[in-house]
Amino acid sequence: EAQVTQNPRYLITVTGKKLTVTCSQNMNHEYMSWYRQDPGLGLRQIYYSMNVEVTDKGDVPEGYKVSRKEKRNFPLILESPSPNQTSLYFCASSPWEMNGDTQYFGPGTRLTVL
Amino acid sequence: AQSVAQPEDQVNVAEGNPLTVKCTYSVSGNPYLFWYVQYPNRGLQFLLKYITGDNLVKGSYGFEAEFNKSQTSFHLKKPSALVSDSALYFCAVYGNNRLAFGKGNQVVVIP
């Protein structure tokens, strides 16, 4: 089954404790992206990657890191989480098309930073 | 930078009535426009997109959207709403290698 998977689905942590949210897709998509969803703000892009070893900042990259060493994986790293990073996070992937093809979303990771 | 505006936070409609969710966009160059739907505790699901061609685009679950270049709008429509259409709807526009989403509209279909 074609899908985007994220782990963990739920995470409660404390300020400053490094964490990684994994994202994996099995559709051989070139493009992958991370978003955060906050009430009243919709989805905002954190980082995106157009292919292996190619990453770029989205709208709200501060406090986050990403890597793209393999085509299927695109982990999101929070080196020192803070309470303002409490949010719902989505990973997405799509074939790389100049017109921005349909993105496939993972189920989401709800992160709480105390 | 590209952006979309969804002016209404919530849309209430009676079951069986027409449903419209509004979206206006701003982008340089040709607009590539999308609608996604999010059901409770789920990720976003693709509904439809406009790339080129007919201004009326048909998508999943009986939804359609009308592209209007002069008004820079891409409103989502459904002729007869179902209770199961109650969800959060996002409009998005593509530009500069990125998809920009609106704030979302909560649609509540009243039985």
Side-chain angles (χ1 to χ4, degrees), chain B residues 9-107:
Chain B
D9 290 334
Q10 182 163 315
V11 175
N12 296 326
V13 61
E15 187 176 23
N17 281 3
L19 168 63
T20 298
V21 188
K22 295 180 180 178
C23 171
T24 58
Y25 66 89
S26 173
V27 66
S28 57
N30 292 326
Y32 301 117
L33 298 157
F34 299 79
W35 275 101
Y36 286 82
V37 61
Q38 184 181 30
Y39 298 102
N41 301 311
R42 302 285 296 276
L44 275 71
Q45 297 177 33
F46 169 76
L47 273 181
L48 50 79
K49 66 181 177 183
Y50 172 83
I51 303 299
T52 187
D54 288 342
N55 289 342
L56 187 63
V57 178
K58 294 191 183 296
S60 307
Y61 312 123
F63 283 93
E64 57 189 29
E66 185 167 13
F67 170 66
N68 187 316
K69 189 171 183 178
S70 63
Q71 297 185 1
T72 61
S73 68
F74 190 54
H75 300 331
L76 181 70
K77 300 179 180 182
K78 186 170 183 180
S80 178
L82 302 172
V83 173
S84 57
D85 293 328
S86 297
L88 190 57
Y89 291 80
F90 290 96
C91 182
V93 63
Y94 179 81
N96 298 320
N97 301 327
R98 302 195 286 122
L99 203 56
F101 286 85
K103 295 181 180 181
N105 278 120
Q106 185 68 49
V107 169

Side-chain angles (χ1 to χ4, degrees), chain A residues 11-19 78 81-82 86 111-114:
Chain A
L11 179 60
I12 300 174
T13 189
V14 296
T15 299
K17 186 176 181 180
K18 181 179 178 180
L19 66 91
L78 284 73
S82 62
T86 292
L111 172 66
T112 301
V113 183
L114 301 175

Side-chain angles (χ1 to χ4, degrees), chain A residues 4-6 9 88-91 105-109, chain B residues 41-43:
Chain A
V4 178
T5 56
Q6 295 178 228
R9 294 289 313 280
L88 180 58
Y89 291 85
F90 288 102
C91 180
F105 283 81
T109 295
Chain B
N41 301 311
R42 302 285 296 276

